[in-house]
């Protein structure tokens, strides 16, 4: 099981932001799309990530004036990434160790996807349930 298997079948581009966007606009983007984080792009390269956790930290430190800052000032720079051929269990382990909930998927220096820990857990549970059903069918036959 690889991250590529999770990305397979997804349509549309990854929702992202630019480093010159202000926090207020990105908060609206997160809310409108019901997502918890976005990769921050410069041209075709990922240069950071901005998440709900970043927003909470900013509001705690700067209050509402944080909303007028640019992502370049406040994003998590040099985000942890994986490749599409990364094993799901390896990615889950990496996310747990680094205490992160979102993982940009980068192949050949190009962003090809974005997964959350929820995506990985759901995929793993679906696989376990499918294996259990197959085992029940095998035993019943």
């Amino acid at each position: 099981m690889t991250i590529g298997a999770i990305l397979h079948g997804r349509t549309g581009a990854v929702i992202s932001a630019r480093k010159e966007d202000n926090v207020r606009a990105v908060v609206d983007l997160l809310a409108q799309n019901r997502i918890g984080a976005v990769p921050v792009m410069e041209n075709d390269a990922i240069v950071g990530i901005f998440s709900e956790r970043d927003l909470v930290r900013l509001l705690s430190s700067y209050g509402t004036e944080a909303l007028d800052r640019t992502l370049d000032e406040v994003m998590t720079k040099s985000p942890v990434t994986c490749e599409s051929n990364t094993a799901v269990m390896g990615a889950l382990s990496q996310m747990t160790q680094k205490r992160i909930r979102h993982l940009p998927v980068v192949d050949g220096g190009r962003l090809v996807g974005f997964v959350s820990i929820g995506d990985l857990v759901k995929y793993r549970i679906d696989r376990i349930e499918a294996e259990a059903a197959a085992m029940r069918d095998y035993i019943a036959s």
Side-chain angles (χ1 to χ4, degrees):
M1 283 190 285
T2 65
I3 296 298
I6 292 174
L7 296 177
H8 182 73
R10 285 191 179 177
T11 58
V14 174
I15 296 168
S16 63
R18 299 168 303 142
K19 67 180 195 169
E20 57 271 7
D21 291 342
N22 72 27
V23 172
R24 185 181 313 274
V26 177
V27 167
D28 288 341
L29 182 69
L30 295 174
Q32 289 168 3
N33 291 283
R34 299 177 52 99
I35 55 177
V38 290
V40 180
M41 308 296 293
E42 181 176 36
N43 300 317
D44 289 334
I46 182 167
V47 293
I49 189 168
F50 185 78
S51 70
E52 295 165 326
R53 193 176 285 174
D54 293 318
L55 177 62
V56 169
R57 180 181 46 79
L58 282 171
L59 290 173
S60 175
S61 296
Y62 302 104
T64 57
E65 70 183 49
L67 297 173
D68 297 321
R69 292 176 179 256
T70 64
L71 289 188
D72 192 39
E73 298 174 74
V74 300
M75 68 186 175
T76 299
K77 296 181 179 179
S78 303
V80 175
T81 65
C82 72
E83 296 178 340
S84 60
N85 65 355
T86 301
V88 169
M89 293 304 292
L92 275 170
S93 175
Q94 185 178 31
M95 293 171 90
T96 301
Q97 289 172 0
K98 305 261 188 209
R99 299 181 51 89
I100 57 175
R101 295 183 301 225
H102 300 89
L103 198 55
V105 183
V106 178
D107 286 339
R110 191 175 67 90
L111 182 71
V112 296
F114 197 68
V115 293
S116 70
I117 198 159
D119 295 330
L120 303 187
V121 170
K122 179 188 180 309
Y123 185 79
R124 184 75 178 122
I125 289 171
D126 290 349
R127 291 290 303 228
I128 290 168
E129 288 176 352
E131 290 169 7
M135 186 65 74
R136 282 191 299 274
D137 290 346
Y138 175 75
I139 292 170
S141 62

